[in-house]
Amino acid sequence: MSSKAELVIVGTVLTVDSRYPTAEAVAVRDGRISAVGTAAELAAEIGPDTRVVDIGDGCVMPGLVEAHGHPLMEAVVLSDRMVDIRPVTIRDAETVVQAVHDEVARRGGDGAFLSGWDALLQKGLPQPTLQWLDAAAPSSPLVILHNSGHLAFFNSAAARLHGLDRHTADPKGAAYGRDEDGELDGTARETAAVFPLVAAAMNAGSYPAMLAEECSRLNRAGLTTCSEMAYDPTFGPLVDALKSTGALTVRLRTYEMSNPQMTAHSAPGAGDDLVRSTGIKIWVDGSPWIGNIDLTFPYLDTDATASIGVAAGSCGHANYTREQLTDIVGAYFPLGWPMACHVMGDNGIDTILDVYENVLARHGRQDHRLRLEHVGAIRQDQIERAVSLGVTCSMFVDQIHYWGDVLIDGLFGPEHGSRWMPAGSAVAAGMRISLHNDPPVTPEEPLRNIAVAVTRTTPSGRVSGPEERLTVDQAIRAQTIDAAWQLFSDHEIGSIEIGKYADFVVLSADPRTVPPEDIADLDVLATYLAGVQVYDASA
Ligand SMILES: [Zn+2]
């Protein structure tokens, strides 16, 4: 170890260390934090070769942690091989439809891929029936991914390309839609059916550049660690190749998708501090925006539910049965795997908590960090039950920013719609939660997550469930140390403490001192991974 620091950052240091919340300087040696303290204390760290960065009115804090992301897929979805039609990018239906026609014309026989269709926010979209898709692209493949990621629309040429027809069996937990005669209707629901259609947009030759751009995108948002919550091991060599060039500037924590054989391609904790196998991803249900979440209460009868094809009074459904989930969790958990389970509806939450409770009774271990993902409709009794089992939640509060009004007025009414993502109740019950964007469902915007968790402001400006608001400090923890904890990484990242990696984000101001709604718009000025600057806004 060198005798002096390689880097000293001077300015407001937001440590997320409750023993010492704010410091004046932080020093880095060999990529790790070597000292935190007052500027006077750290003067001794500075030698002739030390890079000293004075951040002025800015604020340095731990690199932000995305506890539930899909970077390996987002690399493709937001590449120029697919057209971004997400509601965060295009709001009106006409422009979306025009984008479909333009891309079909541009790509011809190579096939057109678009991602982000959302009839709830892009009001007036046509029903994307097979007839409509075939009219838009009569002879070339067309695949349109719904913004939720849980549904894709594909035309007849795409079906032929992928060898899909009426004889194709539905994958476990997924389905191809069929008409009354049993013919495919051009819809694919859930990952095992959707992924192969989207994967056709990537090829191994172009992927490294796509992934490098994804790393830059995450660094620009201040993220230094991101989970991959639908890890497909076929991406392993591509990730390793980027890592070997030094261009992998984000730590990845992978959750491999459970597969029909219920096997994993690595061991729990395999890998290193940059890329590590962390857990197994499972699913109970789907997306509120397409009607397949497993609820005890019904969807409303409104124009919004009609626009997404949900029958009035439907309580949605699960994609996996209790027996399937018991088998899957029972196969992986005893081998030491942590699990993260996608579940939105409260009926589904009952099911997975039963399954978790059973496996813990038979194979319980300390520090299992079993997780529930999203949990939009989780009830108070379920929060308390989860806490008693040591199960924690990763919450998608950014849904309130985009769909907050639709949730209340269009889908579920005030009782359930304004309690959506009850982060305040979870934290009050003693749960360590994380916040996430599920990118590319919403862009990686961790600062907006913090703002939304604190304000719960919907697009129309109402405060949705004011009792569920977090304090700024609670929200910061959920985007740093507690997110790192869920990813089994709190010993190495997530706070500015001596010995941890020098993963930092420099913001234009201290988020604890600005009005909460302004946190979303703070500028990310710089991002560091292990002391190396990986993003510089002034460059
Ligand atoms: Zn996800």
Side-chain angles (χ1 to χ4, degrees), residues 435-458:
L435 307 176
H436 66 250
N437 285 110
D438 203 9
V441 175
T442 60
E444 38 283 310
E445 42 190 15
L447 296 172
R448 181 179 305 288
N449 290 344
I450 293 169
V452 173
V454 174
T455 66
R456 291 182 68 94
T457 306
T458 70

PDB file of all heavy atoms in Angstrom, residues 435-458:
ATOM      1  N   LEU A 435     -34.962   0.614  -3.099  1.00  0.00           N
ATOM      2  CA  LEU A 435     -35.759   1.235  -4.157  1.00  0.00           C
ATOM      3  C   LEU A 435     -35.129   0.843  -5.484  1.00  0.00           C
ATOM      4  O   LEU A 435     -33.915   0.698  -5.575  1.00  0.00           O
ATOM      5  CB  LEU A 435     -35.745   2.762  -4.019  1.00  0.00           C
ATOM      6  CG  LEU A 435     -36.150   3.329  -2.662  1.00  0.00           C
ATOM      7  CD1 LEU A 435     -35.999   4.847  -2.657  1.00  0.00           C
ATOM      8  CD2 LEU A 435     -37.582   2.933  -2.307  1.00  0.00           C
ATOM      9  N   HIS A 436     -35.960   0.688  -6.509  1.00  0.00           N
ATOM     10  CA  HIS A 436     -35.395   0.318  -7.800  1.00  0.00           C
ATOM     11  C   HIS A 436     -36.198   0.917  -8.946  1.00  0.00           C
ATOM     12  O   HIS A 436     -37.301   1.420  -8.766  1.00  0.00           O
ATOM     13  CB  HIS A 436     -35.315  -1.202  -7.923  1.00  0.00           C
ATOM     14  CG  HIS A 436     -36.643  -1.897  -7.967  1.00  0.00           C
ATOM     15  ND1 HIS A 436     -37.114  -2.688  -6.942  1.00  0.00           N
ATOM     16  CD2 HIS A 436     -37.615  -1.920  -8.906  1.00  0.00           C
ATOM     17  CE1 HIS A 436     -38.302  -3.170  -7.266  1.00  0.00           C
ATOM     18  NE2 HIS A 436     -38.635  -2.708  -8.446  1.00  0.00           N
ATOM     19  N   ASN A 437     -35.608   0.837 -10.128  1.00  0.00           N
ATOM     20  CA  ASN A 437     -36.285   1.311 -11.341  1.00  0.00           C
ATOM     21  C   ASN A 437     -36.667   0.183 -12.290  1.00  0.00           C
ATOM     22  O   ASN A 437     -37.307   0.444 -13.306  1.00  0.00           O
ATOM     23  CB  ASN A 437     -35.413   2.316 -12.105  1.00  0.00           C
ATOM     24  CG  ASN A 437     -35.402   3.666 -11.427  1.00  0.00           C
ATOM     25  OD1 ASN A 437     -34.386   4.081 -10.869  1.00  0.00           O
ATOM     26  ND2 ASN A 437     -36.533   4.349 -11.421  1.00  0.00           N
ATOM     27  N   ASP A 438     -36.204  -1.037 -12.001  1.00  0.00           N
ATOM     28  CA  ASP A 438     -36.482  -2.138 -12.914  1.00  0.00           C
ATOM     29  C   ASP A 438     -36.136  -1.737 -14.358  1.00  0.00           C
ATOM     30  O   ASP A 438     -36.875  -2.048 -15.289  1.00  0.00           O
ATOM     31  CB  ASP A 438     -37.969  -2.521 -12.817  1.00  0.00           C
ATOM     32  CG  ASP A 438     -38.261  -3.942 -13.262  1.00  0.00           C
ATOM     33  OD1 ASP A 438     -37.309  -4.709 -13.496  1.00  0.00           O
ATOM     34  OD2 ASP A 438     -39.462  -4.271 -13.406  1.00  0.00           O
ATOM     35  N   PRO A 439     -35.024  -1.014 -14.553  1.00  0.00           N
ATOM     36  CA  PRO A 439     -34.731  -0.560 -15.908  1.00  0.00           C
ATOM     37  C   PRO A 439     -34.579  -1.734 -16.857  1.00  0.00           C
ATOM     38  O   PRO A 439     -34.022  -2.761 -16.459  1.00  0.00           O
ATOM     39  CB  PRO A 439     -33.380   0.174 -15.743  1.00  0.00           C
ATOM     40  CG  PRO A 439     -32.771  -0.356 -14.498  1.00  0.00           C
ATOM     41  CD  PRO A 439     -33.913  -0.727 -13.615  1.00  0.00           C
ATOM     42  N   PRO A 440     -35.127  -1.677 -18.070  1.00  0.00           N
ATOM     43  CA  PRO A 440     -35.599  -0.472 -18.770  1.00  0.00           C
ATOM     44  C   PRO A 440     -37.084  -0.124 -18.567  1.00  0.00           C
ATOM     45  O   PRO A 440     -37.587   0.740 -19.292  1.00  0.00           O
ATOM     46  CB  PRO A 440     -35.370  -0.846 -20.239  1.00  0.00           C
ATOM     47  CG  PRO A 440     -35.613  -2.332 -20.281  1.00  0.00           C
ATOM     48  CD  PRO A 440     -35.109  -2.861 -18.969  1.00  0.00           C
ATOM     49  N   VAL A 441     -37.783  -0.744 -17.610  1.00  0.00           N
ATOM     50  CA  VAL A 441     -39.209  -0.413 -17.427  1.00  0.00           C
ATOM     51  C   VAL A 441     -39.357   1.082 -17.150  1.00  0.00           C
ATOM     52  O   VAL A 441     -40.211   1.759 -17.726  1.00  0.00           O
ATOM     53  CB  VAL A 441     -39.824  -1.267 -16.313  1.00  0.00           C
ATOM     54  CG1 VAL A 441     -41.255  -0.838 -16.050  1.00  0.00           C
ATOM     55  CG2 VAL A 441     -39.776  -2.747 -16.679  1.00  0.00           C
ATOM     56  N   THR A 442     -38.547   1.597 -16.224  1.00  0.00           N
ATOM     57  CA  THR A 442     -38.358   3.050 -16.133  1.00  0.00           C
ATOM     58  C   THR A 442     -36.843   3.279 -16.221  1.00  0.00           C
ATOM     59  O   THR A 442     -36.065   2.361 -15.960  1.00  0.00           O
ATOM     60  CB  THR A 442     -38.900   3.666 -14.820  1.00  0.00           C
ATOM     61  OG1 THR A 442     -38.224   3.067 -13.698  1.00  0.00           O
ATOM     62  CG2 THR A 442     -40.403   3.423 -14.683  1.00  0.00           C
ATOM     63  N   PRO A 443     -36.429   4.479 -16.612  1.00  0.00           N
ATOM     64  CA  PRO A 443     -34.984   4.713 -16.732  1.00  0.00           C
ATOM     65  C   PRO A 443     -34.321   4.577 -15.367  1.00  0.00           C
ATOM     66  O   PRO A 443     -34.973   4.755 -14.336  1.00  0.00           O
ATOM     67  CB  PRO A 443     -34.898   6.169 -17.210  1.00  0.00           C
ATOM     68  CG  PRO A 443     -36.271   6.536 -17.651  1.00  0.00           C
ATOM     69  CD  PRO A 443     -37.221   5.671 -16.893  1.00  0.00           C
ATOM     70  N   GLU A 444     -33.019   4.274 -15.349  1.00  0.00           N
ATOM     71  CA  GLU A 444     -32.317   4.261 -14.076  1.00  0.00           C
ATOM     72  C   GLU A 444     -32.250   5.703 -13.607  1.00  0.00           C
ATOM     73  O   GLU A 444     -31.561   6.523 -14.200  1.00  0.00           O
ATOM     74  CB  GLU A 444     -30.911   3.654 -14.179  1.00  0.00           C
ATOM     75  CG  GLU A 444     -30.131   3.982 -15.418  1.00  0.00           C
ATOM     76  CD  GLU A 444     -30.603   3.164 -16.600  1.00  0.00           C
ATOM     77  OE1 GLU A 444     -30.703   1.957 -16.463  1.00  0.00           O
ATOM     78  OE2 GLU A 444     -30.887   3.756 -17.646  1.00  0.00           O
ATOM     79  N   GLU A 445     -33.022   5.992 -12.561  1.00  0.00           N
ATOM     80  CA  GLU A 445     -33.058   7.358 -12.032  1.00  0.00           C
ATOM     81  C   GLU A 445     -33.152   7.265 -10.514  1.00  0.00           C
ATOM     82  O   GLU A 445     -34.168   7.596  -9.914  1.00  0.00           O
ATOM     83  CB  GLU A 445     -34.219   8.171 -12.643  1.00  0.00           C
ATOM     84  CG  GLU A 445     -35.525   7.423 -12.775  1.00  0.00           C
ATOM     85  CD  GLU A 445     -36.567   8.185 -13.606  1.00  0.00           C
ATOM     86  OE1 GLU A 445     -36.217   9.140 -14.313  1.00  0.00           O
ATOM     87  OE2 GLU A 445     -37.745   7.808 -13.523  1.00  0.00           O
ATOM     88  N   PRO A 446     -32.047   6.826  -9.896  1.00  0.00           N
ATOM     89  CA  PRO A 446     -32.052   6.612  -8.449  1.00  0.00           C
ATOM     90  C   PRO A 446     -32.363   7.879  -7.655  1.00  0.00           C
ATOM     91  O   PRO A 446     -32.973   7.797  -6.582  1.00  0.00           O
ATOM     92  CB  PRO A 446     -30.638   6.092  -8.156  1.00  0.00           C
ATOM     93  CG  PRO A 446     -29.815   6.465  -9.352  1.00  0.00           C
ATOM     94  CD  PRO A 446     -30.750   6.448 -10.501  1.00  0.00           C
ATOM     95  N   LEU A 447     -31.959   9.026  -8.171  1.00  0.00           N
ATOM     96  CA  LEU A 447     -32.254  10.261  -7.440  1.00  0.00           C
ATOM     97  C   LEU A 447     -33.750  10.555  -7.468  1.00  0.00           C
ATOM     98  O   LEU A 447     -34.320  11.052  -6.502  1.00  0.00           O
ATOM     99  CB  LEU A 447     -31.455  11.426  -8.037  1.00  0.00           C
ATOM    100  CG  LEU A 447     -29.935  11.278  -7.897  1.00  0.00           C
ATOM    101  CD1 LEU A 447     -29.218  12.363  -8.685  1.00  0.00           C
ATOM    102  CD2 LEU A 447     -29.517  11.329  -6.421  1.00  0.00           C
ATOM    103  N   ARG A 448     -34.402  10.231  -8.597  1.00  0.00           N
ATOM    104  CA  ARG A 448     -35.854  10.405  -8.624  1.00  0.00           C
ATOM    105  C   ARG A 448     -36.526   9.421  -7.656  1.00  0.00           C
ATOM    106  O   ARG A 448     -37.489   9.772  -6.996  1.00  0.00           O
ATOM    107  CB  ARG A 448     -36.442  10.226 -10.024  1.00  0.00           C
ATOM    108  CG  ARG A 448     -37.952  10.449 -10.021  1.00  0.00           C
ATOM    109  CD  ARG A 448     -38.615  10.311 -11.365  1.00  0.00           C
ATOM    110  NE  ARG A 448     -38.052  11.150 -12.389  1.00  0.00           N
ATOM    111  CZ  ARG A 448     -38.190  12.470 -12.472  1.00  0.00           C
ATOM    112  NH1 ARG A 448     -38.919  13.115 -11.559  1.00  0.00           N
ATOM    113  NH2 ARG A 448     -37.631  13.149 -13.435  1.00  0.00           N
ATOM    114  N   ASN A 449     -36.002   8.212  -7.572  1.00  0.00           N
ATOM    115  CA  ASN A 449     -36.576   7.268  -6.611  1.00  0.00           C
ATOM    116  C   ASN A 449     -36.579   7.855  -5.208  1.00  0.00           C
ATOM    117  O   ASN A 449     -37.559   7.724  -4.467  1.00  0.00           O
ATOM    118  CB  ASN A 449     -35.765   5.959  -6.591  1.00  0.00           C
ATOM    119  CG  ASN A 449     -35.939   5.149  -7.853  1.00  0.00           C
ATOM    120  OD1 ASN A 449     -36.855   5.377  -8.619  1.00  0.00           O
ATOM    121  ND2 ASN A 449     -35.040   4.203  -8.055  1.00  0.00           N
ATOM    122  N   ILE A 450     -35.448   8.466  -4.838  1.00  0.00           N
ATOM    123  CA  ILE A 450     -35.359   9.054  -3.499  1.00  0.00           C
ATOM    124  C   ILE A 450     -36.416  10.153  -3.361  1.00  0.00           C
ATOM    125  O   ILE A 450     -37.161  10.198  -2.375  1.00  0.00           O
ATOM    126  CB  ILE A 450     -33.931   9.601  -3.250  1.00  0.00           C
ATOM    127  CG1 ILE A 450     -32.930   8.424  -3.201  1.00  0.00           C
ATOM    128  CG2 ILE A 450     -33.877  10.432  -1.978  1.00  0.00           C
ATOM    129  CD1 ILE A 450     -31.468   8.834  -3.230  1.00  0.00           C
ATOM    130  N   ALA A 451     -36.517  11.012  -4.368  1.00  0.00           N
ATOM    131  CA  ALA A 451     -37.505  12.099  -4.327  1.00  0.00           C
ATOM    132  C   ALA A 451     -38.930  11.550  -4.246  1.00  0.00           C
ATOM    133  O   ALA A 451     -39.755  12.026  -3.462  1.00  0.00           O
ATOM    134  CB  ALA A 451     -37.348  12.995  -5.557  1.00  0.00           C
ATOM    135  N   VAL A 452     -39.230  10.537  -5.055  1.00  0.00           N
ATOM    136  CA  VAL A 452     -40.591   9.994  -5.077  1.00  0.00           C
ATOM    137  C   VAL A 452     -40.917   9.297  -3.757  1.00  0.00           C
ATOM    138  O   VAL A 452     -42.024   9.419  -3.231  1.00  0.00           O
ATOM    139  CB  VAL A 452     -40.770   9.009  -6.268  1.00  0.00           C
ATOM    140  CG1 VAL A 452     -42.119   8.315  -6.198  1.00  0.00           C
ATOM    141  CG2 VAL A 452     -40.635   9.746  -7.594  1.00  0.00           C
ATOM    142  N   ALA A 453     -39.957   8.575  -3.211  1.00  0.00           N
ATOM    143  CA  ALA A 453     -40.208   7.909  -1.930  1.00  0.00           C
ATOM    144  C   ALA A 453     -40.521   8.918  -0.835  1.00  0.00           C
ATOM    145  O   ALA A 453     -41.288   8.626   0.089  1.00  0.00           O
ATOM    146  CB  ALA A 453     -38.997   7.061  -1.546  1.00  0.00           C
ATOM    147  N   VAL A 454     -39.948  10.110  -0.959  1.00  0.00           N
ATOM    148  CA  VAL A 454     -40.142  11.137   0.066  1.00  0.00           C
ATOM    149  C   VAL A 454     -41.418  11.946  -0.184  1.00  0.00           C
ATOM    150  O   VAL A 454     -42.074  12.395   0.750  1.00  0.00           O
ATOM    151  CB  VAL A 454     -38.898  12.058   0.125  1.00  0.00           C
ATOM    152  CG1 VAL A 454     -39.120  13.235   1.071  1.00  0.00           C
ATOM    153  CG2 VAL A 454     -37.673  11.250   0.553  1.00  0.00           C
ATOM    154  N   THR A 455     -41.789  12.126  -1.446  1.00  0.00           N
ATOM    155  CA  THR A 455     -42.949  12.986  -1.748  1.00  0.00           C
ATOM    156  C   THR A 455     -44.187  12.208  -2.162  1.00  0.00           C
ATOM    157  O   THR A 455     -45.298  12.680  -1.979  1.00  0.00           O
ATOM    158  CB  THR A 455     -42.613  13.947  -2.907  1.00  0.00           C
ATOM    159  OG1 THR A 455     -42.402  13.192  -4.109  1.00  0.00           O
ATOM    160  CG2 THR A 455     -41.374  14.780  -2.597  1.00  0.00           C
ATOM    161  N   ARG A 456     -44.032  11.066  -2.790  1.00  0.00           N
ATOM    162  CA  ARG A 456     -45.131  10.268  -3.350  1.00  0.00           C
ATOM    163  C   ARG A 456     -46.079  11.137  -4.185  1.00  0.00           C
ATOM    164  O   ARG A 456     -47.303  11.042  -4.084  1.00  0.00           O
ATOM    165  CB  ARG A 456     -45.898   9.521  -2.245  1.00  0.00           C
ATOM    166  CG  ARG A 456     -45.063   8.417  -1.623  1.00  0.00           C
ATOM    167  CD  ARG A 456     -45.818   7.644  -0.576  1.00  0.00           C
ATOM    168  NE  ARG A 456     -46.905   6.844  -1.097  1.00  0.00           N
ATOM    169  CZ  ARG A 456     -46.806   5.552  -1.440  1.00  0.00           C
ATOM    170  NH1 ARG A 456     -45.644   4.930  -1.328  1.00  0.00           N
ATOM    171  NH2 ARG A 456     -47.866   4.900  -1.882  1.00  0.00           N
ATOM    172  N   THR A 457     -45.494  11.959  -5.024  1.00  0.00           N
ATOM    173  CA  THR A 457     -46.279  12.835  -5.889  1.00  0.00           C
ATOM    174  C   THR A 457     -46.583  12.148  -7.214  1.00  0.00           C
ATOM    175  O   THR A 457     -45.686  11.618  -7.864  1.00  0.00           O
ATOM    176  CB  THR A 457     -45.501  14.138  -6.161  1.00  0.00           C
ATOM    177  OG1 THR A 457     -45.138  14.715  -4.909  1.00  0.00           O
ATOM    178  CG2 THR A 457     -46.370  15.129  -6.928  1.00  0.00           C
ATOM    179  N   THR A 458     -47.860  12.164  -7.601  1.00  0.00           N
ATOM    180  CA  THR A 458     -48.280  11.557  -8.863  1.00  0.00           C
ATOM    181  C   THR A 458     -48.136  12.575  -9.998  1.00  0.00           C
ATOM    182  O   THR A 458     -47.895  13.760  -9.754  1.00  0.00           O
ATOM    183  CB  THR A 458     -49.750  11.120  -8.795  1.00  0.00           C
ATOM    184  OG1 THR A 458     -50.567  12.305  -8.775  1.00  0.00           O
ATOM    185  CG2 THR A 458     -50.036  10.265  -7.560  1.00  0.00           C
TER     186      THR A 458
END
